[in-house]
Amino acid sequence: MKTQRVLTGITTSGTPHLGNYVGAIRPTVRASRLASVESFYFLADYHALIKVAEPARVQRSTLEIAATWLACGLDPEQVTFYRQSDVPEIPELTWLLTCVAGKGMLNRAHAYKASVDKNTAAGTDPDAGVSAGLFMYPVLMAADILMFNAHQVPVGRDQVQHIEMARDIAASFNHLYGEHFTLPEAAIEDHVATLPGLDGRKMSKSYDNTIPLFVPREQLRKLIQGIVTDSRPPGAPKDTAGSALFQLYQAFASAEETTALTQAYASGIGWGDAKQQLFERLDLELAPMRAVYEQLIQDPARIERTLKRGAEKARDIATPFTARLRHAVGLRALDSAAAPQPVAKAARSLLPSVKQYREADGRFYFKLVDGAGQTVVQSQGFDSPREAADTVKQLKSQGAAALPALAAQVSGMASPEAVSAALAAWADAA
Ligand code: TRP
C-alpha cells in the first residue's frame, strides 16, 4: 500500500552536473524504488521562464533533464513523470492560491529579498529588474506541491522557506474553504554533502565550476585534471580534509574504497595518480548511464511521448481535483446547488490564534494567524521552545508595543494597523 506521496521538480534552466546528480537525482531515483512511496517527478519549465529568456535553452534543458532522469533509472511506469507546462491546472491553481497568499509573506522570500537588498545597496529602485514572476515564484511552487497533495518534498536547504510558504498558503486555503490540501514537509538530504566544484567551492552553475554529468569520457578526464589541488609533490603525505578531489571521490566510492584512498593520501600518492583514480571511479558509475543518455538525447520524440503519458497520469489527478477546488471557491455552474454555508463561520473568522511549531531545521517558531487564516506575525527560529514561549508571553502582555524591542525575533507580516489589531484581538480572546 502506498501511503506517502513524494514530489519534486527540477527547473529546466541548465545542463545537469555532478552536484545535481549526487544531491538530487541519485537520491530521488533511489527513493522512487521504495514500495511505500508514490512519487511525482517533474520538469519545472514554467519556473525556468523566471530566470531564462532564451527559448532554445529552455527547450534544450528540458530535453537534457528529462533524458538525465530516465538514464539515471527513473521508471516512468512506476512514478508519475511529467512536464509542468503539460498540466494547465497548475497555473490555474496558482491563481486560486495567489488570492489567499499574503503579500507580506512573499515580500520576505529569500530570492526576492536578495534582489531588493542588492538594489537598495546600489541605491536604485528596490524593485528594479525584478519581474512579478520572481515575486510569485513561491506561489507557483506551492501549486506544484499542493496539486498532488504531496507529503514529502525532497529539496536542498535553499528551498526550505518555499515549502514553509506552501504550508502557510495551504493552511489559509483550508481555513477559508475546507480541508482540501495536505500540509507538505521538506525532506532535506542531510547526509549528502554538497559537492565541491573544480575550484573547491560548492559546485554551482553560478560559480562556473561544474562538471557536467554526461560529458564524453575524454572530456571528463580533462575536467578532472583541472581540479585544484595544493602543490605537494608525489611522495609527500596529503591532507584529505578540504581536498575537493577527495570529496568527489567519496561521493561515488564505497567505504572500503574511500579508506584505501585515505591511506594513499597519507603515504603520498601523487596528484596525477589521485586524479586518474577519481576519473576511473566516476566513469565506472557514469559510463553505463551515459550510454543510455546519449541514445535518449538522439530520440527526442520518444521522450516527448513519455512526458505526454506522464502528463495524462498527472491530469487524472489534477483535473478532478481542480474541479473540486473551483467549486469550493465558488467558481460554479450557475444551476448547480450552492454548498451549504460553513457553520460557525462568524466565530471562526473573528479569532486570531498563535501557532507554535518546530521546523525541519530543528528550531522553534511561532506565528500569529488572524481570523481569515493569514499569518500576521511571524517569528524567527528560537533555540528552545521556552524562548519562543517567553516571546509569545511578552507579545500577549504588551501587544504591538513590544514589537520594536523584538524586531530581531518577530516581524509583522501585514500593515502596522492590521498587526496591532490582530495582537489586540488575540490578547482579548486568549
Ligand atoms: N524551485 C525548485 C528549485 O529551483 C524547483 C521546483 C519547482 C520544485 N517546483 C517545485 C521543487 C516543487 C520541489 C517541489 O530547485
Side-chain angles (χ1 to χ4, degrees):
M1 196 21 210
K2 299 193 187 280
T3 50
Q4 285 286 307
R5 277 195 179 171
V6 176
L7 173 146
T8 197
I10 299 184
T11 305
T12 58
S13 54
T15 297
H17 55 69
L18 285 183
N20 302 139
Y21 173 70
V22 168
I25 299 168
R26 189 170 65 185
T28 50
V29 170
R30 280 184 189 157
S32 75
R33 302 212 173 101
L34 300 175
S36 60
V37 299
E38 188 181 356
S39 336
F40 295 78
Y41 293 139
F42 70 97
L43 305 154
D45 55 349
Y46 282 132
H47 276 90
L49 302 185
I50 295 169
K51 291 198 250 179
V52 181
E54 295 161 63
R57 185 156 146 224
V58 172
Q59 183 190 26
R60 176 71 196 178
S61 173
T62 305
L63 174 66
E64 288 179 352
I65 293 173
T68 298
W69 240 329
L70 294 168
C72 292
L74 195 71
D75 178 356
E77 300 302 320
Q78 295 303 314
V79 307
T80 305
F81 177 51
Y82 57 100
R83 169 173 48 199
Q84 188 185 27
S85 68
D86 282 337
V87 185
E89 290 84 356
I90 291 172
E92 179 165 4
L93 178 56
T94 301
W95 180 250
L96 303 190
L97 300 180
T98 299
C99 294
V100 301
K103 178 171 179 288
M105 178 187 76
L106 297 177
N107 286 339
R108 283 168 183 75
H110 298 319
Y112 171 68
K113 240 176 87 193
S115 300
V116 169
D117 291 349
K118 212 166 127 200
N119 283 331
T120 310
T124 52
D125 183 280
D127 282 326
V130 177
S131 70
L134 177 66
F135 187 70
M136 296 298 299
Y137 181 116
V139 187
L140 177 57
M141 186 156 158
D144 291 330
I145 298 167
L146 301 181
M147 178 61 87
F148 299 100
N149 279 312
H151 302 90
Q152 301 279 331
V153 186
V155 283
R157 289 207 169 277
D158 58 323
Q159 297 288 321
V160 170
Q161 188 196 30
H162 293 146
I163 312 300
E164 172 53 25
M165 290 182 173
R167 289 172 66 88
D168 206 283
I169 293 170
S172 298
F173 191 97
N174 286 351
H175 185 87
L176 288 166
Y177 298 116
E179 292 294 315
H180 296 282
F181 295 126
T182 302
L183 303 191
E185 269 171 35
I188 307 162
E189 291 289 339
D190 249 340
H191 51 282
V192 180
T194 42
L195 216 59
L198 296 170
D199 59 0
R201 291 185 294 173
K202 175 186 176 202
M203 189 179 289
S204 160
K205 218 171 40 190
S206 33
Y207 294 146
D208 197 20
N209 65 356
T210 65
I211 302 177
L213 181 55
F214 291 132
V215 284
R217 183 177 151 93
E218 279 319 304
Q219 223 171 310
L220 179 65
R221 187 202 300 276
K222 277 219 188 77
L223 282 167
I224 288 174
Q225 277 162 2
I227 295 174
V228 289
T229 57
D230 60 29
S231 56
R232 278 178 227 194
K238 316 257 178 324
D239 237 338
T240 56
S243 164
L245 208 160
F246 185 81
Q247 285 169 39
L248 282 161
Y249 187 82
Q250 195 172 26
F252 286 81
S254 68
E256 296 77 53
E257 290 168 323
T258 305
T259 309
L261 188 67
T262 307
Q263 278 156 10
Y265 263 56
S267 51
I269 187 175
W271 287 127
D273 290 344
K275 286 177 175 175
Q276 180 63 22
Q277 264 197 41
L278 170 62
F279 165 67
E280 292 298 351
R281 187 62 190 81
L282 283 181
D283 198 55
L284 186 70
E285 179 161 334
L286 299 181
M289 297 187 289
R290 186 195 297 131
V292 178
Y293 176 83
E294 278 162 5
Q295 276 181 6
L296 285 165
I297 283 280
Q298 298 307 320
D299 195 355
R302 182 171 147 204
I303 297 187
E304 185 63 34
R305 281 195 301 276
T306 303
L307 290 177
K308 282 281 170 357
R309 266 203 312 278
E312 273 173 41
K313 272 207 260 180
R315 295 190 74 193
D316 282 346
I317 297 171
T319 308
F321 189 43
T322 302
R324 183 177 128 192
L325 296 172
R326 288 177 60 107
H327 187 85
V329 300
L331 306 179
R332 298 173 183 165
L334 297 183
D335 54 353
S336 77
Q341 283 293 315
V343 275
K345 170 90 180 162
R348 190 167 64 168
S349 64
L350 282 175
L351 301 180
S353 61
V354 161
K355 298 190 164 65
Q356 300 198 41
Y357 54 97
R358 194 170 185 191
E359 265 307 318
D361 63 7
R363 296 167 67 79
F364 298 86
Y365 294 77
F366 70 83
K367 59 186 174 187
L368 176 67
V369 178
D370 74 7
Q374 301 283 349
T375 299
V376 188
V377 172
Q378 171 69 59
S379 79
Q380 302 294 318
F382 294 92
D383 292 336
S384 68
R386 161 161 303 228
E387 285 169 69
D390 285 348
T391 309
V392 170
K393 244 188 234 153
Q394 236 171 305
L395 274 179
K396 188 180 277 178
S397 59
Q398 300 169 28
L403 282 175
L406 294 174
Q409 288 97 321
V410 295
S411 33
M413 307 290 284
S415 70
E417 299 76 40
V419 171
S420 298
L423 278 168
W426 164 63
D428 281 352

